[in-house]
Amino acid sequence: MFRVKISGPLAIFTRPELKVERISYPVITPSAARGCLEAVFWKPAIAWRIHRISVLNPIHWMPIRRNEVSRRQIAPAESIIGSGGRAPNQFADEDRAQRNTIALRDVAYEIEASFEMTKRAGPGEKPQKFVEMFSRRLEKGQHFHQPYLGCRECIADVAPAEDGSEPIAEDRDLGLMLYDIDFSRPARRPLFYHATMHQGVIEVPSMPQVRSQLGKKQEAAR
């Protein structure tokens, strides 16, 4: 089991049901925590699993206003690419919109996580090898790409957990929260779980548990 501290001055864990103007979840989501660990170390042979999230800093909100483009740039058709034709232009100054964002400031979390070997692991790949590689990269502050807290402009610092760090003394029902994206089906689907915080600690279920709960709800709805 690894204990990792993830912190940063700004975080935006966007609620997917609010798409136009971003509003963050009160705490980091399991998928965002997994993304930070994968930024430090990831191989096809392993899959990260988040077990527990401890909230170290009080939850403080921060309203900000950002300039965003109103639509995504569309990739040109294959016929245009093949013939060497011009791709459609998109000028940000002509397609700009100001949107409000409710973000979190001065966040810090302690993540307890482990990894499991996947079917893509080679015959000579052993868990201890990856344990040592991850621990070494974490200690040196190395990462494959910049870890971030929800949005890429919210840079995260990922480091070994500090001894003596205490979570906040707060209980809160966080309601439905994004757990992760289920890639086991051709049509990717988001998975949600009911998150509760007890004395600053959130117990995170496993993927099979979340799928099982979803299946029971679907059966009850029929």
Side-chain angles (χ1 to χ4, degrees):
M1 185 79 70
F2 298 99
R3 293 173 55 244
V4 179
K5 182 180 179 181
I6 301 174
S7 59
L10 188 69
I12 307 172
F13 307 112
T14 306
R15 305 182 71 100
E17 68 270 25
L18 304 172
K19 296 182 179 180
V20 177
E21 295 191 338
R22 297 178 184 270
I23 298 180
S24 176
Y25 284 114
V27 299
I28 190 172
T29 61
S31 58
R34 175 180 57 80
C36 288
L37 297 180
E38 289 179 347
V40 175
F41 182 74
W42 178 85
K43 293 288 183 182
I46 66 173
W48 284 102
R49 154 92 161 92
I50 307 300
H51 296 270
R52 188 173 294 107
I53 299 172
S54 298
V55 182
L56 303 181
N57 289 353
I59 299 171
H60 292 306
W61 301 96
M62 177 180 177
I64 58 177
R65 183 168 293 179
R66 306 191 304 171
N67 289 326
E68 299 181 3
V69 292
S70 299
R71 60 186 176 88
R72 294 182 179 180
Q73 175 69 19
I74 301 174
E78 291 184 6
S79 58
I80 296 178
I81 298 176
S83 62
R86 294 186 60 185
N89 295 322
Q90 181 177 8
F91 299 101
D93 290 344
E94 300 174 359
D95 192 33
R96 182 175 294 165
Q98 279 197 339
R99 295 192 175 99
N100 292 317
T101 296
I102 305 299
L104 300 168
R105 61 178 175 86
D106 300 325
V107 300
Y109 309 100
E110 183 178 298
I111 307 299
E112 295 183 35
S114 63
F115 63 77
E116 301 170 352
M117 302 299 290
T118 69
K119 296 179 180 179
R120 301 172 68 182
E125 294 179 318
K126 304 298 181 182
Q128 186 58 34
K129 167 188 173 182
F130 297 123
V131 168
E132 295 173 356
M133 292 174 70
F134 174 77
S135 300
R136 185 165 58 249
R137 292 179 64 85
L138 185 66
E139 288 284 350
K140 294 182 178 180
Q142 297 175 326
H143 41 73
F144 292 122
H145 61 82
Q146 177 61 56
Y148 56 91
L149 296 163
C151 292
R152 290 190 180 274
E153 59 265 39
C154 303
I155 294 175
D157 179 47
V158 183
E162 302 170 354
D163 293 334
S165 298
E166 293 292 335
I168 60 175
E170 181 179 343
D171 296 340
R172 185 181 295 201
D173 186 342
L174 301 170
L176 280 181
M177 178 177 289
L178 179 66
Y179 176 79
D180 214 322
I181 304 298
D182 187 357
F183 295 98
S184 63
R185 300 187 177 188
R188 301 174 185 176
R189 62 171 180 171
L191 296 177
F192 296 85
Y193 79 112
H194 193 121
T196 57
M197 182 172 66
H198 178 65
Q199 293 299 290
V201 178
I202 303 165
E203 299 290 341
V204 181
S206 65
M207 179 71 82
Q209 289 174 325
V210 174
R211 287 175 179 159
S212 175
Q213 293 172 3
L214 178 62
K216 291 178 181 178
K217 290 181 180 179
Q218 291 174 340
E219 287 293 331
R222 291 177 182 176

